[in-house]
Amino acid sequence: MALEVLEALDSARTQWYHVTAIVIAGMGFFTDAYDLFCISTVSKLLGRLYYFDPTTGKPGKLPTPVNNVVLGVALVGTLTGQLVFGWLGDKLGRKKVYGITLILMVVCAICSGLSFGSSAKSVMGTLCFFRFWLGFGIGGDYPLSATIMSEYANKRTRGAFIAAVFAMQGVGIIFAGLISMLFSALFRSNYKALKFSLDPVLSTQPEGDLLWRIVLMIGAVPAALTFYWRMKMPETGRYTAIVEGNAKQAAADMARVLDIEIQAEQDKLADFKAANNYPILSSEFFQRHGRHLIGTMSSWFLLDIAFYSQNLTQKDIFPAMGLIDKDVDMNAIEEVFQTSRAMFVIALFGTFPGCWFTVFFIEKLGRFKIQLIGFFMMSFFMFIIGVKYDYLKDENKNLFGLLYGLTFFFANFGPNSTTFVLPAELFPTRVRATCHALSAAAGKAGAMVDAFGIQYLTLDGKSKKIKRAMILLAFTNLIGFFCTFLVTETKGRSLEEISGEDGRESELTPTPNRVSGPRQESRTETV
């Protein structure tokens, strides 16, 4: 019971429209990563500008609650946006809500940089308000980009295409460091100042207030550039046929992009609906897909505790690695430059290669193996860093940098990529965006554990607390390793076979109480 339009999508040769879809969806992810992580490059500058206390003898620093909210509020917005737009993507269609997320990202990136007012309270308040709604728009991009790419791709290269969209996150992090580094270098050369230890007051250049605003607002540019092309994309053939029930329109749309003739086969749609006539909140859904949903949610939750800890707290670990000077030995803009440079180097040599290794090897090794390897290696390297932190910090900074970079590499050549891919493949078309949203939201809940919890252990830079944080993260990754066994391999299969929505028995999906016929014994699920 396979529609010709779906078979055409599964067997289509790789062509220009696949590349176009990757670029359009990938630029959204590029923007997402830039917007989420650029705040790390300027958060210490915000502390110097708005929270300087001359009685402490130290540079200004965001109070811990304010720091956590500034870094974490976008994650709260992202979690909320994932759930809302994931549900809307299944109810209204992927394309109809895809443009809304982009508009939100453009407007709120600009407004985040404006952050009206001059007092610390007003600036931080408006910054957090707009970063929440920025995160809300970013959240919608997760389920929609993944779902659109999975439903456009052929079954031979689907994993690589979805991973390529996600790999743009690594590029976005690189550019977050690069743009911040370039602008801070420009400001540094034009607005010179003594380091803090020589002049505590004048070491904070007032022009730094413009610098952080520019860095945040630039996030609007790539999103705005792709809006026109995002609106030109047709609705996915799978959604049009299976959910809207319009096989004729689906065949016409996909025939145009694939440049082939496709039969509509409207009469077969009733069989699809009969095989999938159950709501997401039902015992049948949980019997068929519950294990996989628990697996994708738990593994993404555990991964993001570690991944966002790496990215959001790295500014606190860079001094121990010798990548940046002590804060008292820099002026405000110099600190932005050195923090951005360190972030750029780590992303370029750790995050970026890991993402693209996944793209190149996911169809050879499979999602399952890559996720297991990534979780295990992250746990291994973080445990070493935690146990040997004092030795690495004091006597072997090069080895420290190597180990820390390897945790980024195996996060991305591992669960940071595969947790994005698997939820886009395991679930039926009718609830695919919702299930991906639930999985991604679980990940952002993990990120919030870091933003509002783990960071307490790293903010003051004390060795004992950082050691405790790294060992805790090592065990978190180890739990993620075992949660991976709740999901299963999906490479080389059509989406309808994986989910069982074509009415056939699947070794991946149990099929209790089928509407279209008597209950059959399902084969044993394998990994």
Side-chain angles (χ1 to χ4, degrees):
M1 188 184 71
L3 291 173
E4 186 174 331
V5 64
L6 305 184
E7 291 184 334
L9 286 166
D10 282 333
S11 59
R13 59 182 175 82
T14 300
Q15 50 193 282
W16 183 245
Y17 95 91
H18 289 114
V19 177
T20 303
I22 291 171
V23 171
I24 294 171
M27 284 305 293
F29 252 80
F30 171 93
T31 305
D32 297 349
Y34 182 94
D35 287 335
L36 284 177
F37 296 115
C38 68
I39 192 67
S40 294
T41 67
V42 298
S43 62
K44 288 195 172 185
L45 175 61
L46 293 172
R48 289 195 186 227
L49 287 168
Y50 295 104
Y51 291 92
F52 173 58
D53 182 355
T55 63
T56 64
K58 294 182 179 181
K61 184 177 181 180
L62 291 176
T64 299
V66 176
N67 178 81
N68 291 349
V69 173
V70 167
L71 294 183
V73 69
L75 302 177
V76 178
T78 302
L79 185 154
T80 310
Q82 285 165 339
L83 295 174
V84 171
F85 284 110
W87 178 76
L88 288 175
D90 284 333
K91 293 298 180 183
L92 302 179
R94 288 64 162 121
K95 180 183 175 180
K96 287 181 181 178
V97 294
Y98 206 27
I100 299 173
T101 64
L102 212 60
I103 293 171
L104 269 174
M105 288 157 61
V106 171
V107 172
C108 292
I110 294 172
C111 290
S112 294
L114 295 176
S115 293
F116 315 105
S118 57
S119 68
K121 186 175 181 180
S122 62
V123 171
M124 293 303 122
T126 54
L127 173 62
C128 290
F129 174 80
F130 287 117
R131 280 191 65 80
F132 171 85
W133 290 107
L134 174 65
F136 191 79
I138 290 171
D141 242 34
Y142 276 74
L144 294 174
S145 292
T147 300
I148 286 171
M149 197 66 250
S150 70
E151 292 178 357
Y152 267 127
N154 63 60
K155 63 184 180 181
R156 299 185 310 279
T157 58
R158 184 181 59 239
F161 287 170
I162 303 172
V165 170
F166 189 76
M168 292 301 291
Q169 183 183 77
V171 182
I173 296 173
I174 287 175
F175 268 79
L178 179 62
I179 294 296
S180 185
M181 182 172 61
L182 290 176
F183 275 94
S184 59
L186 181 64
F187 273 65
R188 182 183 62 173
S189 64
N190 286 280
Y191 307 107
K192 299 185 183 300
L194 296 173
K195 61 186 179 180
F196 181 86
S197 61
L198 297 178
D199 194 331
V201 176
L202 296 181
S203 67
T204 300
Q205 302 95 318
E207 293 82 6
D209 192 62
L210 177 61
L211 171 61
W212 72 263
R213 297 173 188 275
I214 291 173
V215 169
L216 295 189
M217 287 193 286
I218 283 177
V221 175
L225 291 176
T226 58
F227 180 77
Y228 171 76
W229 299 105
R230 189 174 283 204
M231 291 299 91
K232 284 193 66 176
M233 293 179 71
E235 182 59 83
T236 70
R238 283 184 161 89
Y239 185 88
T240 303
I242 297 174
V243 181
E244 293 184 341
N246 191 341
K248 183 177 180 181
Q249 185 64 50
D253 288 343
M254 295 304 101
R256 186 169 65 254
V257 297
L258 294 173
D259 196 25
I260 59 174
E261 289 189 10
I262 301 175
Q263 298 297 317
E265 301 181 310
Q266 185 73 31
D267 55 311
K268 288 187 177 181
L269 289 180
D271 295 329
F272 269 88
K273 290 185 178 295
N276 295 278
N277 190 24
Y278 55 90
I280 191 170
L281 295 177
S282 67
S283 59
E284 186 164 0
F285 174 86
F286 282 98
Q287 287 176 25
R288 292 188 181 194
H289 310 291
R291 173 184 162 182
H292 293 153
L293 185 59
I294 293 171
T296 56
M297 290 179 68
S298 61
S299 56
W300 206 335
F301 172 79
L302 294 161
L303 174 276
D304 271 9
I305 293 176
F307 182 72
Y308 279 85
S309 294
Q310 288 174 294
N311 281 282
L312 295 182
T313 65
Q314 59 184 341
K315 66 187 187 305
D316 305 310
I317 297 176
F318 285 155
M321 296 169 62
L323 290 177
I324 67 175
D325 296 330
K326 294 180 179 179
D327 54 4
V328 296
D329 294 329
M330 298 182 284
N331 62 49
I333 292 178
E334 177 67 25
E335 186 173 36
V336 176
F337 175 80
Q338 291 196 24
T339 301
S340 305
R341 182 182 60 189
M343 179 177 172
F344 171 78
V345 170
I346 291 291
L348 183 64
F349 292 104
T351 304
F352 181 80
C355 289
W356 290 98
F357 263 62
T358 300
V359 174
F360 294 133
F361 290 104
I362 194 168
E363 298 298 352
K364 295 180 176 68
L365 297 177
R367 295 76 160 142
F368 183 77
K369 287 181 181 178
I370 289 176
Q371 185 159 311
L372 283 178
I373 292 169
F375 265 130
F376 181 82
M377 298 306 291
M378 287 173 68
S379 181
F380 177 72
F381 290 123
M382 285 185 168
F383 185 76
I384 292 176
I385 292 172
V387 171
K388 294 292 185 180
Y389 182 78
D390 291 323
Y391 163 76
L392 294 169
K393 176 172 69 81
D394 298 330
E395 299 183 37
N396 203 330
K397 286 182 168 58
N398 290 334
L399 179 59
F400 193 170
L402 175 63
L403 293 173
Y404 195 64
L406 284 171
T407 65
F408 278 87
F409 176 82
F410 281 104
N412 292 284
F413 181 45
N416 194 42
S417 298
T418 54
T419 52
F420 181 77
V421 174
L422 282 166
E425 298 181 311
L426 285 167
F427 304 104
T429 306
R430 189 171 43 80
V431 293
R432 183 169 291 125
T434 301
C435 290
H436 195 283
L438 289 169
S439 304
K444 287 302 167 284
M448 289 162 58
V449 169
D450 165 65
F452 299 106
I454 301 295
Q455 282 202 83
Y456 279 103
L457 298 176
T458 65
L459 279 175
D460 58 12
K462 292 183 178 178
S463 295
K464 185 176 180 181
K465 290 185 177 180
I466 293 178
K467 287 175 65 175
R468 191 185 309 163
M470 297 304 292
I471 292 173
L472 177 62
L473 294 175
F475 280 102
T476 299
N477 290 320
L478 193 60
I479 298 171
F481 174 88
F482 290 108
C483 287
T484 300
F485 288 94
L486 293 171
V487 298
T488 193
E489 187 54 70
T490 56
K491 70 173 182 176
R493 300 174 183 272
S494 73
L495 294 174
E496 290 69 41
E497 180 186 358
I498 294 167
S499 65
E501 64 186 308
D502 59 2
R504 292 181 293 177
E505 290 265 357
S506 169
E507 66 183 63
L508 300 182
T509 307
T511 55
N513 300 322
R514 285 202 179 278
V515 177
S516 58
R519 178 172 179 167
Q520 297 173 313
E521 292 298 318
S522 62
R523 287 181 282 174
T524 302
E525 186 170 358
T526 60
V527 171

